[in-house]
């Protein structure tokens, strides 16, 4: 029986583990890998305290910091299947058919970016293909980039790129932009941005890094090619919240709803932080800060007698 189980090894999971360790909670961290979505990034420029750091380096630092605490046990390659209530708290079952008992849980399971599923996307992930414009826009200073997605995420990515990129193509599959009119106007008045409608992306080209993109004009059927240095895929994300369905309140976007002061969910004893939640800004630094709140709240919950420490 653990005092706390943390699900996820991204910045949220690691930050929660560090603070749980400082409070001497008997903690189990279950994760497939450390680093979260940033693990594949070649360069991260907005992790506080590091001017530049690769995703691999960040993942190692997160793992090492979490593992430095003697009360933290880490199990790798574990994918959580479901969470159930039990007489003493909760039972966490993994796809590997292991079951662990705990008094409290922090959900830091993150989200997964929706992908295009076209040739070249996986090959050049972190090598010109990006999924976070706030994180990676500065890497494209004076370069040519394409943004794929006609909703608010796509429009906001273009806005993030405007101060940096030399040229930005916005590729939209339909004849209409779905995002906010105010952001649309901001893009339309920029000489850097060009909107391409009825564009169905077919392949991302390159050698070691992205060098171009092929798309089909859905009206004419003609295949066209753009020469560019990077592609931002902005077609949404899916929170990894299914494991907690039926236990905690989840909104229409499948995000776990939390009290943003404490990280508490609707289920006493379960807390959440990071991209799996309904937090507005999906950023590594925000995830880490919110996870610290969740860890301290879990500690207070245990100390309050609502669920006793071992």
């Amino acid at each position: 029986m653990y005092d706390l189980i943390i699900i996820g090894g991204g910045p949220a999971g690691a930050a929660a583990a560090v603070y749980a360790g400082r409070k001497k909670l008997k903690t189990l961290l279950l994760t497939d890998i450390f680093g979260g979505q940033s693990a594949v990034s070649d360069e991260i420029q907005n992790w506080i305290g590091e001017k530049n750091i690769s995703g691999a380096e960040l993942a190692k630092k997160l793992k090492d910091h979490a593992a430095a605490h003697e009360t933290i046990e880490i199990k790798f390659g574990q994918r959580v299947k479901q969470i159930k209530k039990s007489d003493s708290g909760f039972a966490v079952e993994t796809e590997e058919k292991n079951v662990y008992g705990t008094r409290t849980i922090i959900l830091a399971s993150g989200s997964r970016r929706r992908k295009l599923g076209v040739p070249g996307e996986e090959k050049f992930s972190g090598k010109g293909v990006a999924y976070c414009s706030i994180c990676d826009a500065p890497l494209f200073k004076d370069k040519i980039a394409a943004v794929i997605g006609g909703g608010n995420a796509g429009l906001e990515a273009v806005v993030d790129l405007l101060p940096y990129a030399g040229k930005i193509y916005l590729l939209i599959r339909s004849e209409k932009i779905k995002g906010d009119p105010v952001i649309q106007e901001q893009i339309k008045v920029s000489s850097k941005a060009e909107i391409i409608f009825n564009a169905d992306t077919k392949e991302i080209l390159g050698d070691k890094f992205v060098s171009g993109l092929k798309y089909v004009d859905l009206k004419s059927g003609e295949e066209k090619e753009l020469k560019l240095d990077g592609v931002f895929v902005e077609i949404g994300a899916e929170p990894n919240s299914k494991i907690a369905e039926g236990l905690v309140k989840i909104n229409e976007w499948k995000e776990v709803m939390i009290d943003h002061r404490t990280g508490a969910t609707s289920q006493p004893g379960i807390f959440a932080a990071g991209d799996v939640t309904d937090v507005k800004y999906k950023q590594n630094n925000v995830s880490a800060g919110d996870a610290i709140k969740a860890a301290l709240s879990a500690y207070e919950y245990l100390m309050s007698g609502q669920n006793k420490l071992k």
Side-chain angles (χ1 to χ4, degrees), residues 6 33 40 45 50 63 119 141 153 165 172 249 260 298:
I6 299 167
I33 60 165
V40 298
Q45 294 185 342
E50 300 279 359
K63 176 178 73 69
K141 184 171 175 58
I172 301 171
K249 282 187 180 176
H260 292 273

Side-chain angles (χ1 to χ4, degrees), residues 100-115:
Y100 305 99
T102 183
R103 294 175 170 84
T104 59
I105 290 171
I106 293 178
L107 292 168
S109 47
S111 65
R112 56 196 182 278
R113 293 283 182 172
R114 288 195 181 96
K115 301 201 172 174

Side-chain angles (χ1 to χ4, degrees), residues 160-279:
D160 289 337
L161 281 160
L162 284 175
Y164 301 102
K167 175 75 177 180
I168 308 149
Y169 295 103
L170 175 61
L171 275 64
I172 301 171
R173 286 189 90 253
S174 64
E175 295 182 348
K176 243 169 124 181
I177 303 177
K178 298 174 184 175
D180 292 342
V182 173
I183 310 177
Q184 288 185 39
E185 286 306 311
Q186 199 174 343
I187 292 168
K188 288 174 181 176
V189 298
S190 171
S191 59
K192 287 185 177 183
E194 180 180 337
I195 303 170
I196 303 175
F197 295 97
N198 302 299
D200 185 15
T201 303
K202 290 299 182 184
E203 185 178 359
I204 296 170
L205 309 169
D207 182 13
K208 291 183 179 177
F209 296 93
V210 169
S211 64
L213 176 151
K214 281 184 182 178
Y215 72 93
V216 170
D217 184 319
L218 294 174
K219 266 197 165 180
S220 67
E222 184 183 353
E223 186 175 272
K224 299 183 179 181
E225 187 174 318
L226 296 173
K227 289 185 179 179
L228 38 80
D229 305 293
V231 177
F232 285 79
V233 180
E234 295 289 351
I235 53 176
E238 297 176 22
N240 298 316
S241 60
K242 191 173 182 181
I243 56 175
E245 281 182 358
L247 269 182
V248 302
K249 282 187 180 176
I250 294 173
N251 66 20
E252 61 185 300
W253 297 285
K254 301 296 183 183
E255 297 168 326
V256 174
M257 300 173 71
I258 61 170
D259 176 341
H260 292 273
R261 291 171 56 254
T262 64
T265 69
S266 60
Q267 174 66 55
I270 298 182
F271 303 83
D275 287 9
V276 74
T277 73
D278 60 351
V279 66

Side-chain angles (χ1 to χ4, degrees), residues 60-109:
K60 185 178 185 305
K61 288 191 173 190
L62 294 176
K63 176 178 73 69
D64 290 348
H65 201 174
H69 296 269
E70 60 182 13
T71 62
I72 305 297
E73 180 183 353
I74 300 171
K75 289 188 182 290
F76 293 99
Q78 298 284 303
R79 292 178 181 270
V80 173
K81 184 179 180 181
Q82 62 178 338
I83 301 165
K84 293 181 180 178
K85 289 185 77 173
S86 68
D87 292 340
S88 53
F90 305 96
V92 178
E93 182 183 345
T94 70
E95 290 182 1
E96 294 74 25
K97 298 184 179 177
N98 298 312
V99 180
Y100 305 99
T102 183
R103 294 175 170 84
T104 59
I105 290 171
I106 293 178
L107 292 168
S109 47

